[in-house]
Coordinates of all heavy atoms in Angstrom, one line a residue:
M400 N -15.7 2.7 -15.8 CA -14.3 2.6 -15.5 C -13.7 3.9 -15.9 O -13.7 4.4 -17.0 CB -13.8 1.5 -16.4 CG -12.3 1.2 -16.2 SD -11.6 0.0 -17.3 CE -12.8 -1.3 -17.5
K401 N -13.1 4.5 -14.9 CA -12.5 5.8 -15.1 C -11.0 5.8 -14.8 O -10.6 5.3 -13.7 CB -13.1 6.9 -14.2 CG -12.6 8.3 -14.4 CD -13.4 9.3 -13.6 CE -12.8 10.7 -13.9 NZ -13.5 11.7 -13.2
L402 N -10.2 6.3 -15.7 CA -8.7 6.3 -15.5 C -8.4 7.4 -14.5 O -8.9 8.5 -14.6 CB -8.1 6.6 -16.8 CG -6.6 6.4 -16.9 CD1 -6.2 5.0 -16.6 CD2 -6.1 6.7 -18.3
K403 N -7.5 7.1 -13.6 CA -7.1 8.1 -12.6 C -6.3 9.2 -13.2 O -5.5 9.0 -14.2 CB -6.3 7.4 -11.5 CG -7.1 6.4 -10.6 CD -6.2 5.8 -9.6 CE -7.0 4.8 -8.8 NZ -6.1 4.3 -7.7
D404 N -6.5 10.4 -12.7 CA -5.7 11.5 -13.2 C -4.5 11.7 -12.4 O -4.5 12.4 -11.3 CB -6.5 12.8 -13.2 CG -5.9 14.0 -13.9 OD1 -4.6 13.9 -14.1 OD2 -6.5 15.0 -14.1
Y405 N -3.4 11.1 -12.8 CA -2.1 11.1 -12.0 C -1.5 12.5 -11.9 O -0.9 12.8 -10.9 CB -1.2 10.1 -12.5 CG -1.6 8.7 -12.4 CD1 -1.8 7.8 -13.5 CD2 -1.9 8.1 -11.1 CE1 -2.3 6.5 -13.4 CE2 -2.4 6.8 -11.0 CZ -2.6 6.0 -12.1 OH -3.0 4.8 -12.0
Y406 N -1.7 13.3 -12.9 CA -1.2 14.6 -12.8 C -1.9 15.4 -11.7 O -1.3 16.1 -11.0 CB -1.3 15.3 -14.2 CG -0.5 14.8 -15.3 CD1 -1.0 13.9 -16.2 CD2 0.9 15.1 -15.3 CE1 -0.2 13.4 -17.2 CE2 1.7 14.6 -16.3 CZ 1.1 13.7 -17.3 OH 1.9 13.2 -18.2
K407 N -3.2 15.2 -11.6 CA -4.0 15.9 -10.6 C -3.6 15.4 -9.2 O -3.5 16.2 -8.3 CB -5.5 15.7 -10.9 CG -6.4 16.4 -9.9 CD -7.8 16.2 -10.3 CE -8.7 16.9 -9.3 NZ -10.1 16.7 -9.6
I408 N -3.4 14.1 -9.1 CA -3.0 13.6 -7.8 C -1.7 14.2 -7.3 O -1.6 14.5 -6.1 CB -2.8 12.0 -7.9 CG1 -4.2 11.4 -8.1 CG2 -2.1 11.4 -6.7 CD1 -4.1 9.9 -8.4
L409 N -0.7 14.4 -8.2 CA 0.5 15.0 -7.8 C 0.5 16.6 -7.9 O 1.5 17.2 -7.5 CB 1.7 14.5 -8.7 CG 2.0 13.1 -8.6 CD1 3.1 12.7 -9.5 CD2 2.4 12.7 -7.1
G410 N -0.7 17.1 -8.3 CA -0.8 18.6 -8.3 C 0.0 19.2 -9.4 O 0.5 20.3 -9.3
L411 N 0.0 18.6 -10.6 CA 0.8 19.0 -11.7 C 0.0 19.3 -13.0 O -1.1 18.7 -13.1 CB 1.9 18.0 -12.1 CG 2.9 17.7 -11.0 CD1 3.7 16.4 -11.4 CD2 3.8 18.9 -10.8
E412 N 0.5 20.0 -13.9 CA 0.0 20.2 -15.2 C 0.4 19.0 -16.1 O 1.4 18.4 -15.8 CB 0.5 21.5 -15.9 CG 0.0 22.8 -15.1 CD -1.5 23.0 -15.2 OE1 -2.0 22.7 -16.2 OE2 -2.0 23.5 -14.2
K413 N -0.3 18.7 -17.1 CA 0.0 17.6 -18.0 C 1.3 17.9 -18.8 O 1.9 17.0 -19.4 CB -1.1 17.3 -19.0 CG -2.3 16.8 -18.2 CD -3.4 16.3 -19.2 CE -4.6 15.7 -18.5 NZ -4.8 15.8 -17.1
T414 N 1.8 19.1 -18.7 CA 3.1 19.4 -19.4 C 4.3 19.4 -18.5 O 5.3 19.8 -18.9 CB 2.9 20.8 -20.0 OG1 2.6 21.8 -19.0 CG2 1.9 20.9 -21.1
A415 N 4.1 18.8 -17.3 CA 5.2 18.8 -16.3 C 6.4 18.0 -16.8 O 6.2 17.0 -17.5 CB 4.6 18.2 -15.0
S416 N 7.5 18.4 -16.4 CA 8.8 17.7 -16.8 C 9.0 16.6 -15.8 O 8.4 16.5 -14.7 CB 9.9 18.7 -16.7 OG 10.2 19.1 -15.4
S417 N 9.9 15.7 -16.2 CA 10.3 14.6 -15.3 C 10.8 15.1 -13.9 O 10.5 14.6 -12.9 CB 11.4 13.8 -15.9 OG 10.9 13.1 -17.1
K418 N 11.5 16.2 -14.0 CA 12.1 16.8 -12.7 C 10.9 17.3 -11.8 O 10.9 17.2 -10.6 CB 13.0 18.0 -13.1 CG 13.8 18.5 -12.0 CD 14.8 19.6 -12.5 CE 15.6 20.1 -11.3 NZ 16.7 21.0 -11.8
E419 N 9.9 18.0 -12.4 CA 8.8 18.5 -11.7 C 8.0 17.3 -11.1 O 7.5 17.4 -10.0 CB 7.9 19.3 -12.6 CG 8.5 20.6 -13.0 CD 7.7 21.4 -14.1 OE1 7.2 20.7 -15.0 OE2 7.6 22.6 -14.0
I420 N 7.8 16.3 -11.9 CA 7.1 15.1 -11.4 C 7.8 14.5 -10.2 O 7.1 14.2 -9.2 CB 6.9 14.0 -12.5 CG1 6.0 14.6 -13.6 CG2 6.4 12.7 -12.0 CD1 6.0 13.8 -14.9
K421 N 9.1 14.3 -10.3 CA 9.8 13.8 -9.1 C 9.7 14.6 -7.9 O 9.6 14.2 -6.8 CB 11.3 13.5 -9.5 CG 12.1 12.8 -8.5 CD 13.4 12.4 -8.9 CE 14.2 11.6 -7.9 NZ 15.5 11.2 -8.3
A422 N 9.9 16.0 -8.1 CA 9.8 16.9 -7.0 C 8.4 16.8 -6.3 O 8.3 16.8 -5.1 CB 10.1 18.3 -7.4
A423 N 7.4 16.8 -7.1 CA 6.0 16.7 -6.5 C 5.8 15.4 -5.8 O 5.2 15.4 -4.7 CB 5.0 16.9 -7.6
Y424 N 6.3 14.3 -6.3 CA 6.2 13.0 -5.7 C 6.9 13.0 -4.4 O 6.4 12.6 -3.3 CB 6.8 12.0 -6.6 CG 7.1 10.7 -6.0 CD1 6.0 9.8 -5.5 CD2 8.4 10.2 -5.8 CE1 6.3 8.6 -4.9 CE2 8.6 9.0 -5.1 CZ 7.6 8.2 -4.7 OH 7.9 7.0 -4.1
L425 N 8.2 13.5 -4.3 CA 8.9 13.5 -3.1 C 8.3 14.4 -2.0 O 8.2 14.0 -0.8 CB 10.4 14.0 -3.3 CG 11.2 13.0 -4.2 CD1 12.6 13.7 -4.5 CD2 11.4 11.7 -3.5
K426 N 7.7 15.5 -2.4 CA 7.0 16.4 -1.5 C 5.8 15.7 -0.9 O 5.6 15.7 0.3 CB 6.6 17.7 -2.3 CG 5.8 18.7 -1.4 CD 5.5 19.9 -2.2 CE 4.6 20.8 -1.3 NZ 4.2 22.0 -2.1
M427 N 5.0 15.0 -1.8 CA 3.8 14.3 -1.3 C 4.2 13.1 -0.3 O 3.5 12.9 0.7 CB 3.0 13.8 -2.4 CG 2.1 14.8 -3.0 SD 0.9 14.2 -4.1 CE -0.3 13.5 -2.9
I428 N 5.2 12.3 -0.7 CA 5.5 11.2 0.2 C 6.1 11.6 1.5 O 5.9 10.9 2.5 CB 6.4 10.1 -0.5 CG1 7.7 10.6 -0.9 CG2 5.7 9.5 -1.7 CD1 8.7 9.5 -1.2
R429 N 6.8 12.7 1.5 CA 7.3 13.2 2.8 C 6.1 13.7 3.7 O 6.0 13.5 4.9 CB 8.2 14.4 2.6 CG 9.6 14.0 2.4 CD 10.6 15.1 2.4 NE 10.4 16.2 1.4 CZ 10.9 16.2 0.2 NH1 11.8 15.3 -0.1 NH2 10.6 17.2 -0.6
K430 N 5.1 14.3 3.0 CA 4.0 14.9 3.8 C 3.0 13.8 4.2 O 2.5 13.8 5.4 CB 3.2 15.8 2.8 CG 2.0 16.5 3.5 CD 1.3 17.5 2.5 CE 0.1 18.1 3.2 NZ -0.5 19.1 2.3
Y431 N 2.8 12.7 3.4 CA 1.8 11.7 3.8 C 2.4 10.4 4.2 O 1.7 9.4 4.2 CB 0.9 11.5 2.6 CG 0.1 12.7 2.2 CD1 0.3 13.4 1.0 CD2 -0.8 13.3 3.1 CE1 -0.5 14.5 0.7 CE2 -1.5 14.4 2.8 CZ -1.4 15.0 1.6 OH -2.1 16.1 1.3
H432 N 3.7 10.3 4.4 CA 4.3 9.0 4.8 C 3.7 8.5 6.1 O 3.5 9.2 7.0 CB 5.8 9.2 5.0 CG 6.6 7.9 5.0 ND1 6.6 7.1 6.1 CD2 7.2 7.3 4.0 CE1 7.3 6.0 5.8 NE2 7.7 6.1 4.5
P433 N 3.5 7.1 6.1 CA 2.8 6.5 7.3 C 3.6 6.7 8.6 O 3.1 6.6 9.7 CB 2.8 5.0 6.9 CG 2.9 5.0 5.4 CD 3.7 6.2 5.0
D434 N 4.9 6.9 8.5 CA 5.7 7.1 9.7 C 5.5 8.5 10.4 O 5.7 8.6 11.6 CB 7.2 7.0 9.4 CG 7.6 5.6 9.1 OD1 6.9 4.6 9.4 OD2 8.8 5.4 8.6
T435 N 5.0 9.4 9.6 CA 4.7 10.8 10.1 C 3.2 11.1 10.3 O 2.9 12.0 11.0 CB 5.4 11.8 9.3 OG1 4.9 11.7 7.9 CG2 6.9 11.7 9.2
N436 N 2.4 10.3 9.6 CA 0.9 10.5 9.7 C 0.3 9.1 9.8 O 0.5 8.2 9.0 CB 0.4 11.1 8.4 CG 0.5 12.6 8.4 OD1 0.0 13.2 9.3 ND2 1.2 13.1 7.4
T437 N -0.6 9.0 10.8 CA -1.3 7.7 11.0 C -2.7 7.7 10.6 O -3.4 6.7 10.6 CB -1.2 7.4 12.5 OG1 -1.8 8.4 13.3 CG2 0.2 7.1 13.0
D438 N -3.2 8.9 10.1 CA -4.6 9.0 9.6 C -4.7 8.1 8.4 O -3.9 8.2 7.5 CB -4.9 10.5 9.3 CG -6.3 10.7 8.9 OD1 -7.2 9.9 9.3 OD2 -6.5 11.6 8.1
I439 N -5.8 7.4 8.3 CA -6.1 6.5 7.1 C -6.2 7.3 5.8 O -5.8 6.9 4.8 CB -7.4 5.7 7.3 CG1 -7.5 4.6 6.2 CG2 -8.6 6.5 7.3 CD1 -6.4 3.5 6.4
N440 N -6.7 8.6 5.8 CA -6.8 9.4 4.6 C -5.4 9.7 4.1 O -5.2 9.8 2.9 CB -7.6 10.6 4.9 CG -9.1 10.3 5.1 OD1 -9.6 9.3 4.6 ND2 -9.8 11.1 5.9
T441 N -4.5 10.0 5.0 CA -3.2 10.4 4.6 C -2.4 9.1 4.0 O -1.7 9.2 3.1 CB -2.3 11.0 5.7 OG1 -2.3 10.1 6.8 CG2 -2.9 12.3 6.1
L442 N -2.8 8.0 4.5 CA -2.2 6.7 4.0 C -2.7 6.5 2.6 O -1.9 6.1 1.7 CB -2.5 5.5 4.9 CG -2.0 4.2 4.5 CD1 -0.4 4.2 4.5 CD2 -2.5 3.1 5.4
N443 N -3.9 6.8 2.3 CA -4.5 6.6 1.0 C -3.8 7.6 0.0 O -3.5 7.2 -1.1 CB -6.0 6.8 1.0 CG -6.7 5.7 1.6 OD1 -6.2 4.6 1.7 ND2 -7.9 6.0 2.1
K444 N -3.6 8.8 0.5 CA -2.9 9.8 -0.4 C -1.4 9.4 -0.6 O -0.9 9.6 -1.7 CB -2.9 11.2 0.3 CG -4.3 11.8 0.3 CD -4.2 13.2 0.9 CE -5.6 13.8 1.0 NZ -6.0 14.6 -0.2
F445 N -0.8 8.8 0.4 CA 0.6 8.3 0.2 C 0.6 7.2 -0.9 O 1.4 7.2 -1.9 CB 1.1 7.7 1.5 CG 2.4 7.0 1.4 CD1 3.6 7.8 1.3 CD2 2.5 5.6 1.3 CE1 4.8 7.2 1.2 CE2 3.8 5.0 1.2 CZ 4.9 5.8 1.1
H446 N -0.4 6.3 -0.9 CA -0.4 5.2 -1.9 C -0.8 5.7 -3.2 O -0.3 5.2 -4.2 CB -1.4 4.1 -1.4 CG -0.9 3.3 -0.3 ND1 0.1 2.4 -0.4 CD2 -1.3 3.2 1.0 CE1 0.4 1.8 0.7 NE2 -0.5 2.3 1.6
E447 N -1.6 6.7 -3.3 CA -2.0 7.4 -4.6 C -0.7 8.0 -5.2 O -0.5 8.0 -6.4 CB -3.1 8.4 -4.4 CG -4.5 7.8 -4.3 CD -5.5 8.9 -4.3 OE1 -5.2 10.1 -3.9 OE2 -6.7 8.6 -4.6
A448 N 0.1 8.7 -4.4 CA 1.3 9.4 -4.8 C 2.3 8.3 -5.4 O 2.9 8.6 -6.5 CB 1.9 10.2 -3.7
V449 N 2.4 7.2 -4.7 CA 3.3 6.2 -5.2 C 2.8 5.6 -6.5 O 3.6 5.4 -7.4 CB 3.5 5.0 -4.1 CG1 4.2 3.8 -4.7 CG2 4.1 5.6 -2.9
E450 N 1.5 5.4 -6.6 CA 0.9 4.8 -7.8 C 1.1 5.8 -9.0 O 1.5 5.5 -10.1 CB -0.5 4.6 -7.6 CG -1.2 3.9 -8.8 CD -2.7 3.6 -8.5 OE1 -3.0 2.9 -7.5 OE2 -3.5 4.1 -9.2
A451 N 0.9 7.1 -8.7 CA 1.1 8.1 -9.7 C 2.5 8.2 -10.2 O 2.8 8.3 -11.4 CB 0.6 9.5 -9.2
Y452 N 3.4 8.1 -9.3 CA 4.8 8.2 -9.7 C 5.3 7.0 -10.4 O 6.1 7.0 -11.3 CB 5.7 8.4 -8.5 CG 7.2 8.7 -8.9 CD1 7.5 9.9 -9.5 CD2 8.2 7.8 -8.7 CE1 8.8 10.2 -9.9 CE2 9.5 8.0 -9.0 CZ 9.8 9.2 -9.7 OH 11.1 9.5 -10.1
N453 N 4.7 5.8 -10.1 CA 5.0 4.6 -10.9 C 4.6 4.7 -12.3 O 5.3 4.2 -13.2 CB 4.3 3.4 -10.3 CG 5.0 2.9 -9.0 OD1 6.2 3.2 -8.7 ND2 4.2 2.2 -8.2
I454 N 3.6 5.5 -12.6 CA 3.1 5.7 -14.0 C 3.9 6.9 -14.6 O 4.5 6.7 -15.7 CB 1.6 5.9 -14.1 CG1 0.8 4.7 -13.6 CG2 1.2 6.3 -15.5 CD1 1.0 3.4 -14.4
L455 N 3.9 8.0 -13.9 CA 4.5 9.2 -14.5 C 6.0 9.3 -14.4 O 6.7 9.9 -15.2 CB 3.9 10.4 -13.9 CG 2.4 10.6 -14.1 CD1 1.9 11.9 -13.4 CD2 2.0 10.6 -15.5
G456 N 6.6 8.6 -13.5 CA 8.0 8.7 -13.3 C 8.8 7.8 -14.2 O 10.0 8.0 -14.4
D457 N 8.2 6.9 -14.9 CA 8.8 6.0 -15.9 C 8.4 6.5 -17.3 O 7.2 6.5 -17.5 CB 8.4 4.5 -15.6 CG 9.0 3.6 -16.7 OD1 10.1 3.2 -16.5 OD2 8.3 3.3 -17.7
L458 N 9.3 6.8 -18.1 CA 9.0 7.3 -19.4 C 8.1 6.5 -20.3 O 7.1 7.0 -20.8 CB 10.3 7.7 -20.2 CG 10.1 8.4 -21.5 CD1 9.3 9.7 -21.3 CD2 11.4 8.6 -22.2
D459 N 8.3 5.2 -20.3 CA 7.5 4.3 -21.1 C 6.1 4.3 -20.5 O 5.1 4.4 -21.3 CB 8.0 2.8 -21.1 CG 9.3 2.7 -22.0 OD1 9.4 3.5 -22.9 OD2 10.0 1.7 -21.8
N460 N 5.9 4.1 -19.2 CA 4.6 4.2 -18.6 C 3.9 5.5 -18.8 O 2.7 5.5 -19.1 CB 4.7 3.9 -17.1 CG 5.0 2.4 -16.8 OD1 4.9 1.6 -17.7 ND2 5.5 2.2 -15.6
R461 N 4.7 6.6 -18.8 CA 4.1 7.9 -19.0 C 3.6 8.1 -20.4 O 2.5 8.6 -20.6 CB 5.1 9.0 -18.6 CG 4.6 10.4 -18.7 CD 5.6 11.4 -18.3 NE 5.1 12.7 -18.3 CZ 5.8 13.8 -18.2 NH1 7.1 13.7 -18.0 NH2 5.2 15.0 -18.2
L462 N 4.3 7.6 -21.4 CA 3.9 7.6 -22.8 C 2.7 6.8 -23.0 O 1.7 7.2 -23.7 CB 5.0 7.2 -23.7 CG 6.2 8.1 -23.8 CD1 7.4 7.5 -24.6 CD2 5.8 9.5 -24.3
H463 N 2.6 5.6 -22.4 CA 1.4 4.8 -22.5 C 0.2 5.5 -21.9 O -0.9 5.5 -22.5 CB 1.6 3.4 -21.8 CG 2.5 2.5 -22.5 ND1 3.3 1.6 -21.9 CD2 2.8 2.3 -23.8 CE1 4.0 0.9 -22.7 NE2 3.7 1.3 -23.9
Y464 N 0.4 6.0 -20.7 CA -0.7 6.8 -20.0 C -1.1 8.0 -20.9 O -2.3 8.2 -21.0 CB -0.2 7.2 -18.7 CG -1.2 8.0 -17.9 CD1 -2.3 7.4 -17.3 CD2 -1.0 9.4 -17.7 CE1 -3.2 8.2 -16.6 CE2 -1.9 10.2 -17.0 CZ -3.0 9.5 -16.4 OH -3.9 10.3 -15.7
S465 N -0.2 8.7 -21.4 CA -0.6 9.9 -22.2 C -1.3 9.5 -23.5 O -2.3 10.1 -23.9 CB 0.7 10.7 -22.6 OG 1.3 11.2 -21.5
F466 N -0.9 8.4 -24.1 CA -1.7 7.8 -25.2 C -3.1 7.5 -24.9 O -4.0 7.8 -25.5 CB -0.9 6.6 -25.8 CG -1.7 6.0 -26.9 CD1 -1.7 6.5 -28.2 CD2 -2.3 4.8 -26.7 CE1 -2.4 5.9 -29.2 CE2 -3.0 4.1 -27.7 CZ -3.1 4.7 -28.9
V467 N -3.2 6.7 -23.8 CA -4.6 6.3 -23.3 C -5.5 7.4 -23.0 O -6.6 7.4 -23.4 CB -4.5 5.3 -22.1 CG1 -5.8 5.0 -21.6 CG2 -3.8 4.0 -22.6
I468 N -5.0 8.5 -22.3 CA -5.9 9.6 -22.0 C -6.3 10.4 -23.2 O -7.2 11.1 -23.1 CB -5.3 10.4 -20.8 CG1 -4.0 11.1 -21.2 CG2 -5.3 9.7 -19.5 CD1 -3.5 12.1 -20.1
S469 N -5.5 10.3 -24.3 CA -5.8 11.0 -25.5 C -6.9 10.3 -26.3 O -7.4 10.9 -27.3 CB -4.6 11.2 -26.3 OG -4.2 10.0 -26.9
Q470 N -7.2 9.1 -26.0 CA -8.2 8.3 -26.8 C -9.6 8.6 -26.4 O -9.9 9.0 -25.2 CB -7.9 6.8 -26.6 CG -6.6 6.3 -27.0 CD -6.4 6.5 -28.5 OE1 -7.1 6.0 -29.3 NE2 -5.4 7.3 -28.8
N471 N -10.6 8.3 -27.3 CA -12.0 8.5 -26.9 C -12.4 7.4 -26.0 O -11.6 6.4 -25.8 CB -12.9 8.5 -28.2 CG -12.8 7.3 -29.0 OD1 -12.8 6.2 -28.4 ND2 -12.9 7.3 -30.3
Q472 N -13.5 7.5 -25.4 CA -13.9 6.6 -24.3 C -14.0 5.1 -24.8 O -13.6 4.2 -24.1 CB -15.3 7.0 -23.8 CG -15.8 6.2 -22.6 CD -14.9 6.3 -21.4 OE1 -14.3 7.4 -21.1 NE2 -14.7 5.3 -20.6
H473 N -14.5 4.9 -26.0 CA -14.6 3.5 -26.5 C -13.2 2.9 -26.6 O -13.0 1.8 -26.1 CB -15.3 3.5 -27.9 CG -15.3 2.2 -28.5 ND1 -16.2 1.2 -28.0 CD2 -14.6 1.7 -29.5 CE1 -16.0 0.1 -28.7 NE2 -15.1 0.4 -29.7
N474 N -12.2 3.6 -27.2 CA -10.9 3.0 -27.3 C -10.1 3.0 -26.0 O -9.2 2.2 -25.8 CB -10.1 3.8 -28.4 CG -10.6 3.6 -29.8 OD1 -11.1 2.5 -30.1 ND2 -10.3 4.5 -30.7
R475 N -10.4 3.9 -25.1 CA -9.7 4.1 -23.9 C -9.8 2.8 -23.1 O -8.8 2.3 -22.5 CB -10.3 5.2 -23.1 CG -9.4 5.5 -21.8 CD -9.9 6.7 -21.1 NE -9.7 7.9 -22.0 CZ -10.3 9.1 -21.7 NH1 -11.0 9.2 -20.7 NH2 -10.0 10.1 -22.5
V476 N -11.0 2.2 -23.0 CA -11.2 0.9 -22.2 C -10.2 -0.2 -22.8 O -9.6 -0.9 -22.0 CB -12.6 0.5 -22.3 CG1 -12.8 -0.9 -21.6 CG2 -13.5 1.5 -21.6
K477 N -10.2 -0.3 -24.1 CA -9.3 -1.3 -24.7 C -7.8 -1.1 -24.3 O -7.1 -2.0 -23.9 CB -9.4 -1.2 -26.2 CG -8.5 -2.2 -27.0 CD -8.7 -2.1 -28.4 CE -8.2 -0.8 -29.0 NZ -8.2 -0.6 -30.4
W478 N -7.4 0.2 -24.3 CA -6.0 0.5 -24.0 C -5.7 0.4 -22.5 O -4.6 0.1 -22.2 CB -5.6 1.8 -24.6 CG -5.5 1.7 -26.1 CD1 -6.3 2.2 -27.0 CD2 -4.5 1.0 -26.9 NE1 -6.0 1.9 -28.3 CE2 -4.8 1.2 -28.2 CE3 -3.4 0.3 -26.5 CZ2 -4.0 0.6 -29.3 CZ3 -2.6 -0.3 -27.6 CH2 -2.9 -0.1 -28.9
I479 N -6.6 0.7 -21.7 CA -6.4 0.6 -20.3 C -6.1 -0.9 -19.9 O -5.2 -1.2 -19.2 CB -7.7 1.1 -19.5 CG1 -7.8 2.6 -19.5 CG2 -7.6 0.6 -18.0 CD1 -9.1 3.2 -19.0
K480 N -6.9 -1.8 -20.6 CA -6.7 -3.2 -20.3 C -5.4 -3.7 -20.9 O -4.6 -4.4 -20.3 CB -7.9 -4.0 -20.9 CG -9.1 -3.8 -20.2 CD -10.3 -4.6 -20.8 CE -11.6 -4.3 -20.1 NZ -12.7 -4.9 -20.7
R481 N -5.1 -3.2 -22.1 CA -3.8 -3.6 -22.8 C -2.6 -3.2 -22.0 O -1.7 -3.9 -21.9 CB -3.8 -2.9 -24.2 CG -2.5 -3.0 -24.9 CD -2.5 -4.2 -25.8 NE -1.6 -4.2 -26.9 CZ -0.3 -4.4 -26.8 NH1 0.2 -4.8 -25.7 NH2 0.5 -4.4 -27.8
F482 N -2.6 -2.0 -21.5 CA -1.4 -1.5 -20.7 C -1.5 -1.8 -19.2 O -0.7 -1.4 -18.5 CB -1.2 0.0 -21.0 CG -0.8 0.4 -22.4 CD1 -1.5 1.4 -23.0 CD2 0.2 -0.3 -23.0 CE1 -1.1 1.7 -24.3 CE2 0.5 0.0 -24.3 CZ -0.1 1.0 -25.0
N483 N -2.6 -2.4 -18.8 CA -2.9 -2.8 -17.4 C -2.7 -1.6 -16.5 O -2.1 -1.7 -15.5 CB -1.9 -3.9 -17.0 CG -2.3 -4.6 -15.8 OD1 -3.5 -4.6 -15.4 ND2 -1.4 -5.2 -15.1
L484 N -3.4 -0.5 -16.9 CA -3.3 0.7 -16.0 C -4.4 0.6 -14.9 O -5.5 0.2 -15.2 CB -3.6 2.0 -16.9 CG -2.5 2.3 -17.9 CD1 -3.0 3.4 -18.9 CD2 -1.2 2.7 -17.3
P485 N -4.1 1.1 -13.7 CA -5.1 1.1 -12.7 C -6.2 2.1 -13.0 O -6.0 3.1 -13.6 CB -4.3 1.6 -11.5 CG -2.8 1.5 -11.8 CD -2.8 1.6 -13.3
V486 N -7.4 1.7 -12.6 CA -8.5 2.6 -12.8 C -9.2 2.9 -11.5 O -9.0 2.2 -10.5 CB -9.5 2.0 -13.8 CG1 -9.0 1.9 -15.2 CG2 -10.0 0.7 -13.3
S487 N -10.0 3.9 -11.5 CA -10.8 4.3 -10.3 C -12.1 3.7 -10.4 O -12.9 4.0 -11.4 CB -10.9 5.8 -10.2 OG -11.7 6.2 -9.1
V488 N -12.6 2.9 -9.5 CA -13.9 2.2 -9.5 C -14.9 3.1 -8.8 O -16.1 2.8 -8.9 CB -13.9 0.8 -9.0 CG1 -13.1 -0.1 -9.9 CG2 -13.3 0.7 -7.6
N489 N -14.5 4.0 -8.0 CA -15.4 4.9 -7.2 C -16.0 6.0 -8.0 O -17.0 6.5 -7.7 CB -14.7 5.4 -6.0 CG -14.2 4.4 -5.0 OD1 -14.8 3.3 -5.0 ND2 -13.2 4.6 -4.3
D490 N -15.3 6.4 -9.1 CA -15.8 7.5 -9.9 C -16.7 7.1 -11.0 O -16.8 6.1 -11.5 CB -14.6 8.3 -10.5 CG -13.7 8.9 -9.4 OD1 -14.2 9.3 -8.4 OD2 -12.5 9.0 -9.7

């Protein structure tokens, strides 16, 4: 079970401000929106950007996420479940 790197998805550093997060999100959804791109890969990127912004765009969710990624692997699984964070099953 691997936690997704939402900062990487949006192309940001972990020190990004709320303003930078929103700007990166808006740039991605314009680029990958289903109305302008019909390719399935771009649709996946669009959904990833929305998911990333749902976590990073909300201060409480962002703090939970930051806490979880700071934990060691053993504790991380417990907190992923506790905060109900999405995980990547492919990695």
Side-chain angles (χ1 to χ4, degrees):
M400 183 184 324
K401 183 174 180 177
L402 190 61
K403 294 180 181 182
D404 186 345
Y405 294 121
Y406 292 99
K407 184 177 178 182
I408 289 170
L409 293 178
L411 297 168
E412 297 292 324
K413 292 186 178 13
T414 57
S416 69
S417 295
K418 190 175 183 177
E419 292 170 319
I420 291 169
K421 186 173 184 177
Y424 164 71
L425 292 174
K426 181 179 176 182
M427 281 193 73
I428 63 166
R429 277 192 296 269
K430 182 176 181 180
Y431 297 117
H432 195 279
D434 288 346
T435 58
N436 276 304
T437 57
D438 181 32
I439 191 71
N440 292 328
T441 58
L442 182 61
N443 290 338
K444 288 182 186 268
F445 175 79
H446 288 294
E447 281 185 339
V449 170
E450 184 178 303
Y452 188 69
N453 284 338
I454 298 297
L455 299 179
D457 177 86
L458 184 57
D459 287 337
N460 288 342
R461 185 177 182 188
L462 291 173
H463 288 149
Y464 177 74
S465 295
F466 173 77
V467 170
I468 61 174
S469 72
Q470 298 298 301
N471 64 37
Q472 186 62 35
H473 176 72
N474 286 335
R475 188 176 294 168
V476 172
K477 175 179 74 173
W478 288 107
I479 288 171
K480 290 177 183 175
R481 169 91 159 83
F482 294 131
N483 197 26
L484 294 170
V486 295
S487 175
V488 292
N489 296 338
D490 295 329

